[in-house]
Amino acid sequence: MERPTDVRVEGIVLRTMAYREADVIATLYTRERGKIGVIAYGARKLRSRAKSAVQPFQSGTYILRPSGSLYRFVQAETVGAAALWGDVERMAQASVVAEWIVRGEEEGRPDEALYRLVRWALDRLLAGDEAETVVRTFELLYLRKAGFGPEWGRCVRCGRAAALTDFSPAEGGVVCRACRNAVPDARPVPSPLLAFVGRLLAVPPGRLGRVTLRPPQRQALSRLLDAFIERHVALDLLSRRIMAGREDLAAAAAALRERRLKRRGAGLGGEGPTAEAPAEASPADSDFAMGR
């Protein structure tokens, strides 16, 4: 039964852990109170009404009772996250979003814009959008909001906003054509990717909808963000390392399949399969929509 001292919050379950024999301690990120800890007594019991409400990435309206350093779960109206629970890839990508907040944000500090960003990322994953694109977009916007994201609009060496051609993880952003030879780790950036990032950063908070990137641009963004985060972000996120390991395994498996196909083709007297040269990227390689 709800009491006058109970609080009602809109929140998202980011992490859970078993406690004692039948209880669960969950980390929620809420619109009204920021990151908080919630204990749900008996939530691991088969018939518990709290069981589904404190599953990872569940979201909705929660009624909580202050109880020392934690809140006690009372009841909830949730919208469900079953589409994530049945998809290992999406669960893994959602875990990256969750760990940024769990590790990067202090408890009890509400941030409406950040809550909307987390909500957007999980909603798009639930909607079936391309998972890596969603999470990379989240990371790009989260780093910018936190104040230590890469510089995308001006050369980090001379400040020019024109002829931006490369990205330097060490320098922390884009480099122009005139300066790139002076930057040892400068690496080319596809112009459609720069255009995509520029449009993305101009979207008002809360107005972002579906985001799409073609594979070459998505892979380029992933490589640049990985290099930047490794160089400048102190947080060592386990979920990101797991995803990197999965990508390395996938690349190794693809290379092995390619070698086997070539050997098979050579054994039959042919030249084996050849890869077509990638087409030059165009601005149509990326797109996003405002609104939901």
Side-chain angles (χ1 to χ4, degrees):
M1 182 176 179
E2 191 172 349
R3 298 178 183 175
T5 55
D6 292 346
V7 297
R8 183 182 295 263
V9 297
E10 180 183 329
I12 305 162
V13 179
L14 300 180
R15 182 177 65 178
T16 63
M17 65 177 184
Y19 181 66
R20 295 177 178 169
E21 292 186 2
D23 308 330
V24 168
I25 294 179
T27 300
L28 269 66
Y29 193 63
T30 69
R31 182 191 297 272
E32 298 83 358
R33 299 187 176 230
K35 187 177 71 174
I36 59 174
V38 175
I39 185 166
Y41 291 107
R44 296 168 63 200
K45 294 180 179 178
L46 186 61
R47 298 181 182 276
S48 171
R49 59 191 175 89
K51 188 178 183 67
S52 65
V54 292
Q55 292 294 315
F57 314 119
Q58 186 68 276
S59 64
T61 301
Y62 290 79
I63 298 175
L64 308 173
R65 185 164 299 156
S67 178
S69 61
L70 297 173
Y71 290 83
R72 179 177 177 178
F73 174 87
V74 177
Q75 65 185 69
E77 296 177 3
T78 56
V79 297
L84 287 182
W85 301 337
D87 189 320
V88 174
E89 174 68 17
R90 292 183 182 280
M91 280 285 287
Q93 295 285 8
S95 296
V96 176
V97 174
E99 194 174 4
W100 275 111
I101 305 303
V102 170
R103 298 282 307 281
E105 297 300 310
E106 296 181 14
E107 289 196 4
R109 296 185 62 180
D111 186 324
E112 174 78 16
L114 181 54
Y115 178 83
R116 288 201 301 264
L117 179 59
V118 176
R119 175 79 274 164
W120 170 84
L122 295 180
D123 282 348
R124 298 323 307 174
L125 289 172
L126 281 166
D129 291 7
E130 203 288 317
E132 185 180 3
T133 299
V134 171
V135 174
R136 294 311 195 184
T137 299
F138 167 83
E139 289 184 324
L140 194 155
L141 295 174
Y142 177 71
L143 290 172
R144 179 173 181 260
K145 189 178 187 313
F148 51 85
E151 171 59 54
W152 294 96
R154 293 182 177 275
C155 175
V156 292
R157 298 278 291 190
C158 69
R160 293 180 61 199
L164 302 174
T165 58
D166 292 70
F167 185 95
S168 167
E171 297 283 350
V174 290
V175 179
C176 72
R177 183 178 293 111
C179 295
R180 64 182 177 184
N181 291 334
V183 181
D185 70 334
R187 54 191 72 183
V189 182
S191 56
L193 178 57
L194 283 176
F196 164 79
V197 173
R199 295 197 305 273
L200 178 67
L201 297 181
V203 175
R207 295 292 308 281
L208 189 62
R210 185 170 183 264
V211 176
T212 60
L213 270 176
R214 291 189 179 180
Q217 314 312 323
R218 182 171 68 245
Q219 292 160 10
L221 179 60
S222 293
R223 288 193 297 268
L224 297 179
L225 280 178
D226 285 345
F228 176 86
I229 289 169
E230 182 179 358
R231 186 75 181 242
H232 295 281
V233 179
L235 293 177
D236 180 20
L237 302 185
L238 175 61
S239 56
R240 292 190 99 256
R241 285 194 279 119
I242 290 173
M243 290 304 301
R246 286 164 56 89
E247 291 166 4
D248 290 344
L249 285 174
L256 179 60
R257 286 194 298 270
E258 181 71 14
R259 288 197 298 271
R260 286 175 175 172
L261 286 172
K262 287 182 177 179
R263 286 199 298 268
R264 188 179 304 166
L268 293 173
E271 297 181 355
T274 58
E276 294 183 0
E280 185 176 352
S282 69
D285 286 345
S286 63
D287 195 14
F288 61 91
M290 294 173 61
R292 301 266 176 148

